[in-house]
Amino acid sequence: MSKVDVFRALHLQRAQGDPLVLPGPWDAAGARVFVEAGFPALATPSGGVAAALGYADGSTPADEMFAAVARITRAVQVPVSADVESGYGLAPKELVERLLEAGAVGCNLEDSEGGVLKDPHRQAEFLAEVRSAAADRLFVNARVDTFVHGDKDPEQAIERAALYVAAGADCVYPILAPADVLPLLRAGIQGPININARLAGEGPSPAELGELGATRVTFASGIQRWATAALVELARGLAR
């Protein structure tokens, strides 16, 4: 079974309360740590990679992002999905080629740019072209930015998600969706749903999100920010 087949299978027929938990490494060392801890797959965060490379979130040049993803995929044997923001303006065929060259088995694609939601029908067309170019070689996770850049209306999120699923998206990701709307999203969205979790003590656990309807749980750049905060404390201790 290929890595992308393994990755796709990890999303299917998951029991309620048992979502696929994907930590987000921003470098090869972190990727190895997560794999050694037993995680069966990983999902890079664009914000975390940007911070590691010295860029503001959303400002990483495409070449540097793909190079960072390639370093991570070379370091581990498990499937790795890559957050490639809104695609860096690349044509679908080139985007797919760059992802495959980097060793990724999947990708996140945002439906906003510059803090503004894209027209959902045009985004669906873009996703369909990505799916056509990738065939079954990539697992496409379509981000729905209604709760971060839109009016936070769950029905609008469901409508956008339906267009993306019809276009061939394997999973939809209503980022920053509040936990209390997850049952509504679950009832209205076909197929796997990716929900982002906060770290321990800051919100529902991955298992609790699974009970509410999440198929897959990621952390955006939360783990990288937590690690940076820990490093700050270490540095302060060393400087005393």
Side-chain angles (χ1 to χ4, degrees):
M1 185 181 289
S2 69
K3 283 186 180 179
V4 68
D5 289 336
V6 170
F7 191 66
R8 188 168 280 113
L10 287 170
H11 292 76
L12 302 177
Q13 297 180 336
R14 301 203 67 87
Q16 188 172 0
D18 181 33
L20 173 62
V21 179
L22 298 177
W26 52 94
D27 60 17
R32 287 178 175 145
V33 168
F34 290 130
V35 171
E36 289 169 4
F39 289 96
L42 306 172
T44 68
S46 62
V49 172
L53 296 176
Y55 293 103
D57 189 10
S59 300
T60 309
D63 287 350
E64 293 198 45
M65 183 63 75
F66 287 115
V69 172
R71 288 192 291 272
I72 290 169
T73 63
R74 283 197 301 267
V76 296
Q77 294 302 309
V78 301
V80 178
S81 182
D83 183 343
V84 289
E85 302 178 5
S86 58
Y88 306 110
L90 298 174
K93 185 175 185 296
E94 183 180 0
L95 176 60
V96 168
E97 289 172 352
R98 297 291 298 272
L99 283 162
L100 294 174
E101 287 170 0
V105 302
C107 63
N108 282 8
L109 288 169
E110 302 170 6
D111 70 344
S112 66
E113 195 161 17
V116 178
L117 286 175
K118 296 180 179 180
D119 177 270
H121 296 279
R122 291 184 180 177
Q123 179 68 0
E125 290 173 1
F126 174 69
L127 292 171
E129 291 176 5
V130 170
R131 166 55 64 217
S132 177
D136 291 329
R137 296 177 296 169
L138 287 175
F139 185 97
V140 178
N141 188 31
R143 212 175 88 170
V144 178
D145 287 358
T146 305
F147 296 99
V148 61
H149 295 308
D151 61 7
K152 299 178 173 54
D153 179 3
E155 293 298 337
Q156 184 186 101
I158 290 170
E159 290 171 6
R160 295 176 82 90
L163 289 171
Y164 305 159
V165 170
D170 297 285
C171 183
V172 292
Y173 178 16
I175 188 170
L176 297 187
D180 60 2
V181 306
L182 288 190
L184 177 61
L185 295 177
R186 176 68 283 169
I189 295 174
Q190 298 296 313
I193 299 177
N194 183 173
I195 295 297
N196 57 293
R198 298 184 183 276
L199 297 181
E202 298 179 359
S205 69
E208 289 169 336
L209 291 173
E211 290 286 354
L212 292 170
T215 310
R216 156 175 161 169
V217 173
T218 54
F219 301 87
S221 56
I223 297 176
Q224 189 273 336
R225 291 195 301 270
W226 180 89
T228 298
L231 186 60
V232 167
E233 290 302 311
L234 174 62
R236 287 173 177 169
L238 294 173
R240 288 173 187 158

